[in-house]
């Protein structure tokens, strides 16, 4: 069982997660369709050589990213604030003004449009699941291509290449980055920026709802540095963001072989602790929800993203919880894959008058409380 980052054989199965939907972020127009989706067990392997966590049984043929795939977070004021501060920082530190920017896996294009508008840049976004929509910028210009970035698009030269929350979906990240390095070729003045979920946050904060089948990789700072170094990039910056939930890496092409500098040995203790506490946490959550049901309390889940969907599926809450709340209008009126809850707007939630609001990501708690208060909803809050 070789590591998909460093190809070492020094790996072991460390985490087991039962019965989750293959694709979290595909939502369905009916409860029947949502409940009929295939589910799989997840095993995560740990590499003692580079510290990478990965799914050795990941089947890429199950990953069909269509225009129904929806994982945008930009409808949240809290997330938009983060995105704008990230853009301002990148523009300032890398002088991204009037430059050519390429985004790999641009999704709906929110981030690319923002960095082009704020810096007056020219952007090209690549994503097979991109939904064509009218784009109007006060300055800068953006083009979208409904395809994955590859050698055939090498003519789209860039000063800055960004890729956010895509690498964790890539079955062979080494081949993916090596292709990017080959496309860049001899150019040395290109800056690379990648952002991924932070595996250390998942392990230390027991964020078990972050483990989904779509993510075949869980990067720590150790494995992320090792991957970029091995693929011919010089890492210039490596840091966590968004209250530790994200990991960001910046790099430039290197003409020489680069050796990683970080040792993943201290990650093993966090991993062992996570595997043990995982069972304890799921047991505790089930007991809490069972008590709420005995007390006839109505509960809703706030957040119909991957965290909320995994929570509803793993705990088998198809009958106990009726609704999931999401501020993303693209999700509203759809149904949660695998679990069948209807996704409704905060205003609809106010009509339901829940006793308990289950908050899937504490980073949004203040935003959620303000929205509920404005709607006159008086409920308990449960952070999971």
């Amino acid at each position: 069982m070789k590591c998909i980052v460093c190809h070492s054989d020094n790996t072991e199965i460390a985490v087991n997660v039962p019965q989750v939907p293959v694709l979290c972020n595909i939502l369905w127009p009916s409860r029947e369709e949502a409940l009929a989706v295939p589910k799989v067990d997840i095993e995560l392997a740990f590499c003692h050589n580079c510290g990478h966590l990965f799914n050795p049984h990941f089947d890429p043929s199950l990953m069909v990213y269509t225009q129904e795939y929806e994982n945008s977070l930009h409808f949240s004021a809290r997330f938009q604030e983060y995105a704008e501060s990230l853009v301002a920082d990148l523009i300032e530190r890398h002088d991204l003004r009037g430059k050519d920017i390429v985004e790999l896996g641009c999704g709906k294009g929110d981030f690319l449009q923002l960095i082009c508008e704020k810096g007056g840049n020219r952007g090209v976004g690549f994503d097979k699941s991109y939904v064509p929509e009218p784009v109007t910028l006060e300055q800068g210009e953006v083009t979208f291509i409904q395809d994955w970035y590859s050698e055939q698009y090498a003519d789209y030269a860039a000063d800055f290449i960004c890729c956010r929350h895509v690498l964790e979906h890539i079955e062979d990240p080494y081949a993916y980055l090596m292709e990017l390095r080959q496309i860049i070729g001899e150019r040395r003045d290109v800056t690379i920026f990648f952002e991924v979920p932070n595996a250390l946050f998942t392990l230390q904060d027991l964020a078990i709802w972050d483990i989904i089948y779509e993510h075949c990789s869980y990067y720590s700072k150790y494995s992320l540095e090792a991957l970029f170094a091995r693929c011919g990039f010089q890492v210039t910056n490596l840091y966590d963001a968004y209250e530790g939930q994200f990991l960001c890496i910046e790099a430039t092409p290197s003409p020489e072989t680069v050796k990683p500098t970080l040792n993943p040995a201290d990650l093993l203790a966090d991993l062992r602790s996570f595997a043990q506490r995982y069972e304890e946490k799921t047991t505790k959550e089930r007991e809490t929800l069972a008590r709420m049901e005995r007390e006839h309390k109505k509960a809703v889940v706030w957040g119909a993203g991957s965290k909320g969907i995994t929570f509803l599926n793993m705990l088998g809450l198809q009958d106990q919880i009726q609704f999931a709340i999401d501020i993303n209008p693209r999700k509203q009126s759809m149904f949660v894959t695998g679990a069948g809850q209807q996704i409704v707007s905060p205003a609809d939630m106010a009509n339901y008058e829940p006793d308990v609001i289950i908050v899937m990501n504490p980073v949004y708690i203040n935003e959620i409380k303000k929205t509920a208060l404005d709607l006159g909803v008086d409920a308990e809050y449960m952070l999971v």
Side-chain angles (χ1 to χ4, degrees), residues 53-337:
L53 268 174
F54 63 100
N55 179 357
H57 309 303
F58 180 77
D59 182 357
S61 69
L62 300 177
M63 300 291 101
V64 182
Y65 294 106
T66 67
Q67 293 180 359
E68 284 71 40
Y69 188 85
E70 175 56 59
N71 67 343
S72 175
L73 299 174
H74 286 268
F75 292 97
S76 161
R78 175 69 180 85
F79 186 81
Q80 187 65 19
E81 176 187 327
Y82 165 69
E84 290 182 0
S85 66
L86 174 61
V87 161
D89 177 62
L90 291 173
I91 288 174
E92 186 62 31
R93 287 193 297 107
H94 298 290
D95 190 25
L96 300 179
R97 297 178 179 88
K99 299 293 178 64
D100 291 303
I101 296 177
V102 165
E103 183 173 12
L104 315 181
C106 64
K108 301 297 186 287
D110 304 285
F111 182 77
L112 184 61
Q113 292 177 46
L114 188 61
I115 201 168
C116 286
E117 185 161 34
K118 296 298 184 182
N121 297 301
R122 300 169 296 275
V124 181
F126 292 86
D127 201 311
K128 260 192 173 173
S129 69
Y130 174 74
V131 180
E133 294 179 355
V135 176
T136 303
L137 304 183
E138 291 184 7
Q139 61 173 338
E141 58 186 68
V142 178
T143 302
F144 294 103
I145 296 176
Q146 255 181 329
D147 199 359
W148 304 130
Y149 187 65
S150 64
E151 187 71 42
Q152 74 179 99
Y153 299 109
D155 290 343
Y156 288 87
D159 302 298
F160 187 82
I161 298 175
C162 56
C163 181
R164 301 178 68 230
H165 298 273
V166 171
L167 193 61
E168 64 271 21
H169 297 261
I170 303 298
E171 177 198 15
D172 189 344
Y174 174 76
Y176 183 77
L177 270 193
M178 282 301 296
E179 181 178 24
L180 177 61
R181 181 65 188 86
Q182 289 163 8
I183 291 172
I184 292 172
E186 298 302 314
R187 287 178 289 146
R188 300 282 178 264
D189 56 350
V190 182
T191 298
I192 311 297
F193 172 82
F194 275 61
E195 182 181 81
V196 296
N198 186 358
L200 196 58
F201 176 87
T202 301
L203 296 177
Q204 293 181 341
D205 285 62
L206 205 60
I208 62 178
W209 321 118
D210 288 338
I211 299 177
I212 61 176
Y213 192 77
E214 293 164 52
H215 292 178
C216 48
S217 281
Y218 296 82
Y219 289 93
S220 63
K221 60 183 180 181
Y222 311 102
S223 61
L224 197 59
E225 187 212 26
L227 174 63
F228 274 75
R230 192 160 180 259
C231 293
F233 291 97
Q234 179 68 56
V235 176
T236 57
N237 203 2
L238 180 57
Y239 58 98
D240 60 13
Y242 209 45
E243 299 189 17
Q245 295 188 24
F246 299 161
L247 194 59
C248 301
I249 189 167
E250 298 171 13
T252 55
S254 173
E256 302 172 351
T257 301
V258 182
K259 291 186 178 180
T261 61
L262 301 175
N263 186 331
D266 59 346
L267 190 62
L268 192 57
D270 289 320
L271 185 64
R272 299 282 189 238
S273 174
F274 176 86
Q276 175 187 345
R277 294 186 300 146
Y278 166 82
E279 296 294 340
E280 297 170 356
K281 184 176 178 69
T282 53
T283 299
K284 178 183 176 183
E285 301 293 9
R286 285 193 178 94
E287 291 172 350
T288 300
L289 290 161
R291 174 181 54 77
M292 287 166 42
E293 189 171 31
R294 290 194 301 271
E295 295 172 354
H296 304 289
K297 290 184 176 180
K298 295 189 296 184
V300 295
V301 162
W302 193 301
S306 57
K307 287 181 174 65
I309 292 168
T310 302
F311 174 81
L312 290 165
N313 276 273
M314 285 177 59
L315 296 185
L317 302 174
Q318 289 86 341
D319 299 320
Q320 186 175 346
I321 294 179
Q322 187 175 352
F323 297 110
I325 315 303
D326 207 285
I327 60 175
N328 184 342
R330 299 169 185 154
K331 295 184 178 183
Q332 292 161 10
S333 299
M334 305 295 277
F335 290 80
V336 171
T337 189

Side-chain angles (χ1 to χ4, degrees), residues 28 30-39 336-340:
W28 301 93
S30 74
R31 177 177 167 83
E32 292 71 26
E33 290 173 286
L35 291 174
V37 301
K39 295 186 179 183
V336 171
T337 189

